Amino acid sequence: MTAFSPKPARSDSHPSKEKRSITLRFENNTILKRILGEYDRHLVQLEQGLDVRLVCRGNRIAITGTNETVSQAQSAFEALHHLAEKDNAIDAEQVMGVIRLVSMPTQRLSRPEKPSGPDLRTLPAFQTKRGVITPRSPGQADYMKELADKELVFGLGPAGTGKTYLAVAQAVSLFLSGKVERIILSRPAVEAGERLGFLPGDMREKIDPYLRPLYDALHDMMPGDQIARRMAAGEIEVAPLAFMRGRTLAHAYVILDEAQNTTPAQMKMFLTRMGNGTHMTITGDLSQIDLPPSITSGLKEAVSTLENVPGIGFCHLSSADVIRHPLVARIIDAYDQATPLSPHNSFSRAYHGAPKSPVKR
């Protein structure tokens, strides 16, 4: 590789716990500046996150650490170089995402036969008005590849794994590139264990509280004035699931969020709205079903029925993919290890870190 050519300065064969050093040489100083960040703050972040010593002199970076940590650091620089050479700005969150990708276990529940880990030089990325969205964990990398490769994808996993956020990012990316003509975001209007009672206002004011997470993700991808203009033009639509009946959705990107709160009839109705040139993503968390215990989740039934159908992608995220506060992952693990509180939750463990049992049809 001409733009990024690692040159080992000292690379003796030592046991994995002993120290070794290598030197990476960058031929493009502009790319190197993007990688290092302002006042070399990304270099400090990489040092602390990967437990290595990094020394930058000119266009060279010396890496010192154990065999494992040096290899991880080299992979991290390759991934950051791949992002920087496309004129993308690199921020602290992207650096942290790369650190997670190179340092965490990469065994995926959905595809255990896969070789370990994604190729960090060819990470998927979604282009939006706010910048480039890249994966923050191996599970997110798998999920983004499924979104890019398949027209119908189910994203399953606990809160904080980026299921909805990444689906909205893919929708905005395809919309801005002209590959779809509109974006449709939908959710079932189900309270999360509470009875809110009568809500004042017109129809939009009544349903907006249920759809707020979709609005939040959308505003992260596009300027607010553009969203308002495109919504007025019908190019972006946010609607409750009940409004989907009877429609054929063509040349659109359609996202159904919180799908665990659909009934089987609603899920079938939604899936059969798919028209020519349409992409669909269904996201949900089978451990947070808010339906009455006597009602089967439409998402649960869809997983059992469709998981072996060709052309449909399933990505099972886990607590290892949570990108919120570190406590969130530990909270999810603690709940998964506890006795399920309702009949709905007993189905969720296969998707949150426990070995997945064969699908029974």
Side-chain angles (χ1 to χ4, degrees):
M1 185 185 308
T2 57
F4 179 73
S5 50
K7 301 288 185 182
R10 296 184 304 278
S11 184
D12 302 327
S13 297
H14 292 304
S16 60
K17 293 299 181 183
E18 294 190 17
K19 300 289 185 180
R20 75 180 181 102
S21 298
I22 64 169
T23 300
L24 307 180
R25 179 171 59 85
F26 296 80
E27 296 180 2
N28 188 319
N29 287 331
T30 301
I31 289 177
L32 179 57
K33 287 179 181 178
R34 292 196 195 111
I35 294 173
L36 297 178
E38 190 176 15
Y39 302 114
D40 292 348
R41 62 182 58 185
H42 296 163
L43 205 66
V44 175
Q45 192 176 358
L46 287 163
E47 269 193 326
Q48 295 174 347
L50 297 174
D51 193 24
V52 292
R53 175 174 170 76
L54 302 175
V55 177
C56 181
R57 291 191 178 92
N59 68 338
R60 297 170 183 264
I61 295 179
I63 307 172
T64 303
T66 65
N67 281 329
E68 181 181 12
T69 58
V70 167
S71 297
Q72 290 174 350
Q74 181 174 346
S75 296
F77 279 110
E78 289 176 353
L80 293 171
H81 185 274
H82 173 70
L83 292 173
E85 68 181 351
K86 294 183 177 180
D87 294 328
N88 296 325
I90 295 176
D91 57 26
E93 286 189 8
Q94 287 175 310
V95 175
M96 182 55 64
V98 168
I99 291 172
R100 287 168 58 91
L101 283 165
V102 301
S103 60
M104 69 167 26
T106 54
Q107 181 76 16
R108 303 307 310 146
L109 298 176
S110 56
R111 288 184 275 178
E113 73 282 0
K114 283 189 60 179
S116 61
D119 184 350
L120 295 179
R121 293 165 296 182
T122 58
L123 285 175
F126 298 153
Q127 181 69 52
T128 71
K129 286 286 187 182
R130 298 288 193 184
V132 175
I133 307 296
T134 55
R136 301 287 195 266
S137 72
Q140 286 195 355
D142 282 352
Y143 182 40
M144 291 176 70
K145 288 177 182 176
E146 289 286 275
L147 292 173
D149 294 342
K150 293 188 169 66
E151 294 180 331
L152 177 57
V153 176
F154 285 78
L156 309 169
T161 51
K163 305 181 300 295
T164 303
Y165 190 86
L166 293 176
V168 174
Q170 171 70 334
V172 171
S173 179
L174 293 184
F175 176 73
L176 294 177
S177 64
K179 294 179 181 178
V180 296
E181 297 175 358
R182 54 185 174 150
I183 298 172
I184 300 174
L185 309 174
S186 185
R187 256 189 170 203
V190 176
E191 295 105 333
E194 302 176 63
R195 296 300 177 194
L196 301 180
F198 174 77
L199 294 176
D202 58 22
M203 179 59 70
R204 180 167 179 172
E205 290 171 330
K206 291 177 188 294
I207 66 174
D208 269 1
Y210 298 102
L211 305 174
R212 177 51 53 187
L214 295 174
Y215 283 115
D216 292 343
L218 201 55
H219 278 274
D220 273 358
M221 313 294 171
M222 299 175 69
D225 59 335
Q226 286 196 27
I227 294 174
R229 187 169 64 251
R230 294 185 184 280
M231 290 185 74
E235 295 175 331
I236 297 178
E237 179 182 349
V238 184
L241 180 59
F243 290 7
M244 296 290 115
R245 188 174 297 280
R247 303 178 62 181
T248 298
L249 307 175
H251 306 291
Y253 200 108
V254 189
I255 298 172
L256 175 60
D257 191 31
E258 296 291 330
Q260 75 274 5
N261 290 327
T262 61
T263 65
Q266 286 176 325
M267 178 60 74
K268 182 179 178 182
M269 178 273 291
F270 177 81
L271 293 172
T272 54
R273 301 306 95 197
M274 193 172 187
N276 292 330
T278 289
H279 296 252
M280 278 188 171
T281 301
I282 294 93
T283 66
D285 178 1
L286 288 167
S287 71
Q288 294 189 2
I289 298 173
D290 299 310
L291 297 170
S294 59
I295 300 178
T296 301
S297 166
L299 179 60
K300 174 181 174 180
E301 183 179 89
V303 170
S304 300
T305 305
L306 303 176
E307 191 151 25
N308 295 321
V309 174
I312 300 178
F314 285 84
C315 190
H316 304 287
L317 301 170
S318 72
S319 59
D321 301 304
V322 171
I323 56 172
R324 292 179 181 169
H325 193 285
L327 273 176
V328 175
R330 296 199 287 272
I331 289 169
I332 290 168
D333 284 338
Y335 271 99
D336 282 347
Q337 292 168 12
T339 303
L341 299 179
S342 74
H344 287 311
N345 294 340
S346 61
F347 189 79
S348 68
R349 293 193 179 187
Y351 305 98
H352 289 187
K356 187 180 151 206
S357 59
V359 175
K360 295 183 180 179
R361 306 184 65 128

